[in-house]
Amino acid sequence: MSGPAHADAAHFDDAFAVLAARARRRNLDRTDRVLALLAAGAPAVGHLLDPAARDEAMQLCHAVAGSAGTFGEHDLSDAARRLETALRDGPDDAVTIALDGLRAAAGRTP
């Protein structure tokens, strides 16, 4: 394909790549914040000392899940959604497992 249609498609691909890279950086920043919030509640990760920190972690996970899913990062999206659910509904061991999953999906080491 050549001509204007090809140039438009290439421009769209370039713009999408820029947006995806920005979303990736933002999602990794959000993930790092979640990890920091939950580290503050250790060792009982599911029982954060500060309920506001728990709420913030859930909101960040929700944002990561949606954004990562939009840009095709399904492992990160699924891991964030599992942690959000575990923080809201799960016992401490479910939170710990989901936290490890988010850490792995984001390429963060413990």
Side-chain angles (χ1 to χ4, degrees), residues 27-28 30-35 38 57 60-61 64-65 75-84 87 95-108:
N27 287 331
L28 292 178
R30 290 172 177 158
T31 298
D32 289 342
R33 176 68 179 148
V34 168
L35 296 174
L38 296 181
L60 289 165
C61 285
V64 169
D75 290 344
L76 183 58
S77 178
D78 292 345
R81 190 154 329 278
R82 281 191 297 275
L83 181 55
E84 177 189 6
L87 285 166
V95 172
T96 300
I97 291 167
L99 180 59
D100 289 344
L102 180 65
R103 188 178 287 117
R108 301 302 197 233

Side-chain angles (χ1 to χ4, degrees), residues 6-94:
H6 178 67
D8 288 344
H11 179 70
F12 177 77
D13 289 346
D14 291 345
F16 186 82
V18 168
L19 290 173
R22 287 180 186 164
R24 173 80 176 156
R25 284 190 301 276
R26 189 172 43 252
N27 287 331
L28 292 178
D29 289 345
R30 290 172 177 158
T31 298
D32 289 342
R33 176 68 179 148
V34 168
L35 296 174
L37 287 166
L38 296 181
V45 173
H47 291 99
L48 294 174
L49 300 176
D50 180 6
R54 183 185 190 102
D55 289 342
E56 182 181 351
M58 286 189 300
Q59 291 171 356
L60 289 165
C61 285
H62 185 82
V64 169
S67 177
T70 297
F71 289 98
E73 292 192 75
H74 301 295
D75 290 344
L76 183 58
S77 178
D78 292 345
R81 190 154 329 278
R82 281 191 297 275
L83 181 55
E84 177 189 6
T85 300
L87 285 166
R88 185 181 57 246
D89 304 328
D92 287 352
D93 60 336

